[in-house]
Amino acid sequence: MTHDHDLVLRPTAAQTEAALNPPPGRTGGDLVVETLAGLGATTVFGLPGQHALGVFDALRRSDLGYVGLRVENNAGFAADAYGRITGEAAPLLLSTGPGALTSLAALQEAAAASAPVLAVGSQVPRAGLGGGRHGYLHELPDQQASFRGVVKSVHPVRTQSQIPSAIAEAWESALTAPHGPVWVEIPQDVLLAATDLPVVTAVDAAPHDLPPRPELTAVAADLLANAARPVIIAGGGVVRADASGKLRQLAERLDAPVVTTFGGKGAFPWNHPLSLRSWLEDRHTTDFLEDADVLLVVGSGLGELSSNYHTFKPRGRVVQIEADLGKLESNHPALGIHADARLALSALLETVPERRDPTAADRVRTVLGLVRERIDSQELTLEQRVLAAVREALPDRSASFWDMTILAYWAWSAFDARHPNTMHSAQGAGGLGYAFPAAIGGAVADPTHPVLAVSGDGGALYSIAELATARQHGLNVTWLIVDDGGYGILRAYMEDAFGQATATELTRPDFVALAESFGVPGVRTTPDTLAADLAKALATPGPSVVVLPARLRMFAPTHLD
């Protein structure tokens, strides 16, 4: 009797011949790039280093495209963006010790945003492992430990035969919901040694599905069907799961208003009659959410930024759909459904009956009107003009990447991301320097549309070296730098808290002249000419820089009231 689990795939004659007679000159590095290619990777990011040279040498014998950045953390941001845009695991090649550790802030952002990044780092030779102090260059007592609290999973390699399976296991982990960064670590001597192992040709690493438990979706469907005032909060999990269409179907079936978190921008149409948009840092929105008798939270942990700085206190029943088990009910008691957003929304659509609420759109308009009155009362015309100019200039299908800067904080709440998965920021971990290197990754992921990066002058200096990368690869990235002479948001925080700011003022370069020194065209603009200058830059092939000298202000917070 033959059982399904006894069946094996028989190699073809050509595969057998290739296995028995692998080409000469291959090393452990070739096993790495062959495995990546076998898994479907086409592009890798990174930076060479002494212990990782075996992998980089193998790249020239492969068909993989390579995008080399100037700083490892920036390479991590580029891989993060590539993973977000494509939904593929983005390979990130790093060296040992300082090179590896420099990527940690980017990997933290990828973890917070559920971006699939497959980091492959080198290690000192095997003789230097084990925690003793052997004196190898770049040596750490336990390099893995530095990554274990940041990435989703760690996959150490100690022999060449382990390389394909370890990378395949990491790939599967990165792409199983919730997506995230993973760490593979391979010693230098394993990468450099000649190998007679067969060429890696077939690698199976399909991510696992994360379906909802049917008894839980049955309860959720009943709660939503019988709710008087259901409301939906859509987080980044909806975007990562490509579930925006399912979300809209459910909202329209229930007549349920929808607010998107900052990570969920674009998950629901901005101008839909049921759209509360993204005004989560507004007490009127918070009050509306608290008044819901059933609140469906999809793909969000309701963390600090999604809960108006933890002032949100729901009074009704909460149903939370979340792929990250650690976020389930982490902030509020709920009917917790551990599942991929798309699969869970599909399950609800199969069972939730149509529900009509003729007041829903009117209640949404009322809330948005109150938000508008609050913003208009604060004399923030300049800020709204600048944000409107960016929206006017940016093509609808173009991706934008925003640093931790005042204009980005405005965009979280007030920018219309007209399509899902087109607006990205560093709001997951909150580190500076994200926007421009991430935009490089976005431009590599989708070269058919121009890409926008938005930074302040402080954040721009974290990644100014990547102008050389954008120029070298001829990428269609426009970088808007809002130059206010310092760390603007920290200046405002300190002035509000202490009456004056300390350590926030910066001496900075002439950004236009600096861009031109890289061979990148630059222009200094004004609020009146910003839309035209940005549109021209975005329409011109290759990288460009647009500098806006302006001191922007934030709207008043409501969580302190």
Side-chain angles (χ1 to χ4, degrees):
M1 181 180 293
T2 300
H3 300 282
D4 288 344
H5 57 265
D6 293 328
L7 297 175
V8 295
L9 295 176
R10 304 296 181 188
T12 65
Q15 288 173 327
T16 300
E17 175 64 22
L20 294 174
N21 298 286
R26 292 166 61 248
T27 66
D30 287 273
L31 295 173
V32 172
V33 298
E34 289 166 6
T35 304
L36 292 173
L39 287 164
T42 58
T43 303
V44 300
F45 299 86
L47 204 67
Q50 179 176 327
H51 291 156
L53 294 182
V55 176
F56 284 83
D57 178 63
L59 277 177
R60 67 183 172 86
R61 292 187 290 277
S62 79
D63 293 327
L64 293 174
Y66 170 64
V67 180
L69 286 92
R70 301 317 196 254
V71 182
E72 288 86 354
N73 198 51
N74 294 336
F77 284 142
D80 166 304
Y82 186 91
R84 295 192 200 196
I85 295 294
T86 65
E88 303 170 3
L92 172 65
L93 305 183
L94 301 167
S95 190
T96 316
L101 297 181
T102 302
S103 73
L104 280 170
L107 293 177
Q108 183 188 3
E109 177 58 41
S114 296
V117 175
L118 197 159
V120 179
S122 58
Q123 193 29 309
V124 299
R126 284 174 291 182
L129 301 177
R133 184 62 187 165
H134 303 280
Y136 284 96
L137 185 69
H138 306 328
E139 182 180 332
L140 289 166
D142 185 1
Q143 183 171 271
Q144 295 174 48
S146 298
F147 290 84
R148 196 168 288 116
V150 176
V151 299
K152 185 178 177 183
S153 58
V154 170
H155 307 264
V157 169
R158 295 296 177 261
T159 67
Q160 289 184 345
S161 62
Q162 296 173 358
I163 289 174
S165 292
I167 292 178
E169 184 181 65
W171 182 278
E172 182 179 301
S173 174
L175 289 175
T176 294
H179 294 174
V182 296
W183 174 252
V184 179
E185 184 176 285
I186 310 173
Q188 177 191 29
D189 53 336
V190 175
L191 293 171
L192 289 175
T195 185
D196 57 4
L197 290 171
V199 174
V200 182
T201 57
V203 189
D204 183 14
H208 300 300
D209 286 337
L210 188 59
R213 286 166 42 200
E215 73 274 16
L216 295 177
T217 53
V219 174
D222 182 69
L223 288 170
L224 291 167
N226 292 290
R229 298 178 309 282
V231 180
I232 300 172
I233 297 179
V238 175
V239 176
R240 296 283 80 78
D242 192 21
S244 301
K246 302 289 185 186
L247 172 70
R248 179 171 181 170
Q249 290 178 49
L250 184 64
E252 290 175 347
R253 182 173 298 182
L254 292 169
D255 257 350
V258 178
V259 62
T260 60
T261 70
F262 305 150
K265 296 286 289 186
F268 195 73
W270 188 256
N271 290 316
H272 193 284
L274 294 171
S275 176
L276 286 162
R277 302 183 176 179
S278 303
W279 286 99
L280 287 168
E281 289 189 39
D282 182 276
R283 192 65 223 176
H284 300 300
T285 303
T286 305
D287 290 342
F288 188 89
L289 296 174
E290 289 180 346
D291 186 55
D293 60 339
V294 177
L295 183 68
L296 176 62
V297 183
V298 189
S300 172
L302 292 182
E304 183 178 39
L305 297 181
S306 301
S307 62
N308 206 354
Y309 297 90
H310 293 302
T311 61
F312 167 58
K313 306 295 181 186
R315 294 191 296 269
R317 289 291 303 272
V318 177
V319 177
Q320 185 186 15
I321 297 168
E322 176 56 57
D324 187 338
L325 188 60
K327 293 179 181 177
L328 207 60
E329 294 192 76
S330 60
N331 286 300
H332 300 283
L335 174 67
I337 302 176
H338 182 217
D340 174 81
R342 183 178 181 87
L343 297 178
L345 289 171
S346 295
L348 289 176
L349 284 167
E350 291 176 0
T351 53
V352 171
E354 189 169 316
R355 173 191 170 277
R356 294 273 67 89
D357 180 356
T359 70
D362 291 337
R363 290 186 290 121
V364 166
R365 279 194 297 272
T366 298
V367 173
L368 293 179
L370 292 170
V371 172
R372 170 53 54 200
E373 289 177 13
R374 186 177 74 84
I375 298 300
D376 287 348
S377 71
Q378 296 176 43
E379 299 181 359
L380 296 165
T381 303
L382 172 63
E383 292 74 11
Q384 295 180 76
R385 283 176 59 209
V386 169
L387 195 63
V390 174
R391 180 61 278 174
E392 178 185 342
L394 185 66
D396 287 358
R397 294 282 181 179
S398 287
S400 59
F401 297 86
W402 304 69
D403 217 329
M404 299 295 286
T405 188
I406 288 176
L407 189 59
Y409 302 160
W410 268 93
W412 290 349
S413 293
F415 191 75
D416 174 9
R418 293 177 180 165
H419 294 277
N421 206 25
T422 56
M423 180 179 170
H424 305 275
S425 72
Q427 57 93 27
L432 274 174
Y434 169 82
F436 190 62
I440 286 174
V444 174
D446 181 8
T448 65
H449 296 91
V451 174
L452 175 68
V454 180
S455 299
D457 54 292
L461 289 174
Y462 275 64
S463 46
I464 202 75
E466 305 310 337
L467 281 170
T469 303
R471 180 72 178 84
Q472 180 171 341
H473 293 278
L475 299 173
N476 296 326
V477 179
T478 293
W479 195 2
L480 172 61
I481 301 174
V482 181
D483 185 356
D484 67 359
Y487 299 119
I489 192 65
L490 299 179
R491 177 195 291 135
Y493 288 163
M494 294 190 79
E495 288 174 348
D496 288 345
F498 310 117
Q500 63 183 35
T502 304
T504 59
E505 306 312 299
L506 299 174
T507 298
R508 67 272 188 210
D510 179 335
F511 285 106
V512 171
L514 183 57
E516 291 173 344
S517 75
F518 284 92
V520 174
V523 62
R524 187 170 285 101
T525 190
T526 68
D528 291 333
T529 59
L530 175 59
D533 287 338
L534 263 186
K536 180 179 179 182
L538 286 161
T540 303
S544 57
V545 172
V546 177
V547 181
L548 173 66
R551 183 171 289 202
L552 305 180
R553 295 187 300 127
M554 277 303 296
F555 48 81
T558 63
H559 65 278
L560 301 176
D561 294 343

